[in-house]
Amino acid sequence: MNELAGNIHIHTRYSDGSGDIPTIAGAAEKAGLDFIIITDHHHLQGKAEEGYYGKVMVLVGSEINEECNHYLALDIEQPVPGNDHHPQEVIDMVNNQGGFGFIAHGIEKGSLLYRNGKTYPWNDWRATGFTGIDIWSYLSQWRDEITGIPKGFFLYFNPHYAFKKGPMKPLLRKWDELLRKRMVVGIGCSDAHAIKLKLGPWRPVLSDYYLCFRCINTHLFVKEPLSGDFEKDKAQIYQALKSGRCFVGYDFFRKTTGFNFVAKDQGKTALMGEKIRLTEKTVLEVEVPEAAKIFLIKDGRKFRETMGKRSRFSWLGKGVYRVEAYLPHGRGHRAWIFSNPIFLE
Ligand SMILES: [Zn+2]
Ligand SMILES: [Zn+2]
């Protein structure tokens, strides 16, 4: 398996972002990413510019819907019309084209400093057929932490503070609830726009591309090394995302490349997103690139806790297992890695 790091949910000048695709690809290459996924609102205008830019692959999907129920549609050839009130129709139209998709920023708190607390949540959790959800979202979580003007200034200069504790707890709870019924892939999103503000002589940029590309990334595992053949490599990336062979990492303080979580049983291995039959010999193995605090989560609850670079868990019961890793930072720890689950059946 070959690990690739990428950033998902990016807006360009084709919608409400401020950068063009070559500039954004340049920022991704500088950040050391292998791929980025552009999702401008409603259309696929950037599709003609898909391809390799140096070492970075640029893939183009679309973010659908306006006031609520934002859906990231990937691997589609035709734009899908929005339907704020019936998101199931949007999901179905994407699937009918052979595409797949993710619920974006499904739960938000809002900030009084942004349109008086306006949020863009997912309202219809009875919907089915979506591939996964965005479990950790840069722009919406950063904005939601702005509880006043001083905090806004603080978070502008200290953006990483907003992500110290990890994804929003209600979103993780919702994910765990969905996982009790079926595989729902968790991805990280930036929603990078590089919004350019004018505040007197000051020109702050919110959700700057290069900054976002070093924070919440989705790392995935592809079977073959990248070949340079865009269509072939794109198919591998989409396959890994669809099956959940991926994890979400906060790469700023220490890159998360090198993480792995697998189940093993008498010569058989299950990767993230897969299931394996439980026997008394089944073990779960976790590897992190730097010694960290590891939580093994079973059916949404903390089940075991260890510290180190490699952990091995045995004597497990049937259930849905995922891993959270917290990196030592200052006097405490920072949220660092969130794996996709493995199902022991
Ligand atoms: Zn959105
Ligand atoms: Zn967006």
Side-chain angles (χ1 to χ4, degrees), residues 9 11 41 63 70 104-105 120 191:
H9 191 166
H11 295 274
H41 297 282
E63 181 174 21
H70 286 197
H105 47 77
Y120 302 86
D191 209 355

Side-chain angles (χ1 to χ4, degrees), residues 239-340:
Q239 192 47 49
L241 278 177
K242 273 191 233 179
S243 53
R245 209 158 59 232
C246 54
F247 66 88
V248 181
Y250 200 89
D251 283 320
F252 191 86
F253 295 97
R254 172 71 167 87
K255 287 215 171 171
T256 59
T257 306
F259 170 80
N260 209 355
F261 173 44
V262 294
K264 288 187 179 166
D265 191 324
Q266 301 162 83
K268 280 185 288 189
T269 302
L271 308 173
M272 284 177 278
E274 295 181 343
K275 46 182 87 161
I276 193 167
R277 238 186 90 131
L278 178 77
T279 73
E280 67 271 23
K281 296 215 169 95
T282 311
V283 292
L284 290 170
E285 290 182 357
V286 179
E287 200 176 330
V288 278
E290 180 96 27
K293 193 196 274 185
I294 308 290
F295 291 116
L296 181 66
I297 311 288
K298 178 189 181 189
D299 297 329
R301 295 219 174 93
K302 272 179 198 160
F303 179 63
R304 304 259 173 91
E305 180 183 338
T306 60
M307 180 77 204
K309 275 181 94 163
R310 280 165 180 272
S311 315
R312 187 171 225 256
F313 303 96
S314 52
W315 297 105
L316 307 151
K318 287 182 182 178
V320 188
Y321 291 85
R322 60 177 184 83
V323 169
E324 297 183 359
Y326 291 78
L327 183 71
H329 187 84
R331 269 180 265 163
H333 290 82
R334 282 192 65 94
W336 192 33
I337 297 170
F338 293 80
S339 81
N340 264 287

Side-chain angles (χ1 to χ4, degrees), residues 155-218:
L155 287 175
Y156 182 75
F157 293 105
N158 302 280
H160 309 295
Y161 184 85
F163 308 100
K164 194 170 183 283
K165 291 183 182 161
M168 279 175 59
K169 295 288 178 278
L171 203 44
L172 285 180
R173 275 202 296 275
K174 176 56 78 181
W175 187 34
D176 286 324
E177 185 190 313
L178 296 166
L179 285 172
R180 300 293 288 267
K181 297 187 197 105
R182 67 170 180 106
M183 176 61 190
V184 171
V185 179
I187 59 164
C189 285
S190 63
D191 209 355
H193 287 73
I195 303 159
K196 293 182 173 166
L197 299 182
K198 283 185 193 162
L199 298 173
W202 191 38
R203 298 277 179 278
V205 178
L206 309 184
S207 69
D208 169 66
Y209 297 115
Y210 179 55
L211 171 64
C212 282
F213 295 165
R214 290 175 296 156
C215 295
I216 300 170
N217 290 316
T218 302

Side-chain angles (χ1 to χ4, degrees), residues 48-226:
E49 293 174 51
E50 270 194 331
Y52 268 105
Y53 290 72
K55 288 187 192 141
V56 178
M57 283 181 77
V58 174
L59 306 167
V60 176
S62 177
E63 181 174 21
I64 305 166
N65 283 343
E66 281 286 331
E67 293 301 313
C68 55
N69 299 320
H70 286 197
Y71 193 62
L72 302 175
L74 310 185
D75 205 12
I76 52 168
E77 296 298 325
Q78 299 299 327
V80 171
N83 192 333
D84 280 2
H85 302 294
H86 301 286
Q88 185 66 58
E89 285 187 19
V90 173
I91 295 170
D92 293 345
M93 285 182 90
V94 171
N95 292 348
N96 289 342
Q97 269 195 48
F100 66 106
F102 294 90
I103 290 173
H105 47 77
I107 298 176
E108 298 188 307
K109 282 192 296 195
S111 164
L112 286 176
L113 261 66
Y114 173 78
R115 299 179 67 187
N116 225 359
K118 168 101 179 114
T119 57
Y120 302 86
W122 186 268
N123 294 328
D124 184 7
W125 289 104
R126 285 169 312 166
T128 56
F130 54 90
T131 304
I133 67 170
D134 150 23
I135 58 163
W136 206 359
S137 203
Y138 185 98
L139 185 61
S140 76
Q141 187 166 342
W142 182 81
R143 177 206 63 205
D144 288 358
E145 290 295 315
I146 300 174
T147 46
I149 291 170
K151 186 79 182 284
F153 276 107
F154 174 78
L155 287 175
Y156 182 75
F157 293 105
N158 302 280
H160 309 295
Y161 184 85
F163 308 100
K164 194 170 183 283
K165 291 183 182 161
M168 279 175 59
K169 295 288 178 278
L171 203 44
L172 285 180
R173 275 202 296 275
K174 176 56 78 181
W175 187 34
D176 286 324
E177 185 190 313
L178 296 166
L179 285 172
R180 300 293 288 267
K181 297 187 197 105
R182 67 170 180 106
M183 176 61 190
V184 171
V185 179
I187 59 164
C189 285
S190 63
D191 209 355
H193 287 73
I195 303 159
K196 293 182 173 166
L197 299 182
K198 283 185 193 162
L199 298 173
W202 191 38
R203 298 277 179 278
V205 178
L206 309 184
S207 69
D208 169 66
Y209 297 115
Y210 179 55
L211 171 64
C212 282
F213 295 165
R214 290 175 296 156
C215 295
I216 300 170
N217 290 316
T218 302
H219 293 239
L220 49 80
F221 295 93
V222 290
K223 290 186 179 140
E224 312 273 332
L226 292 183

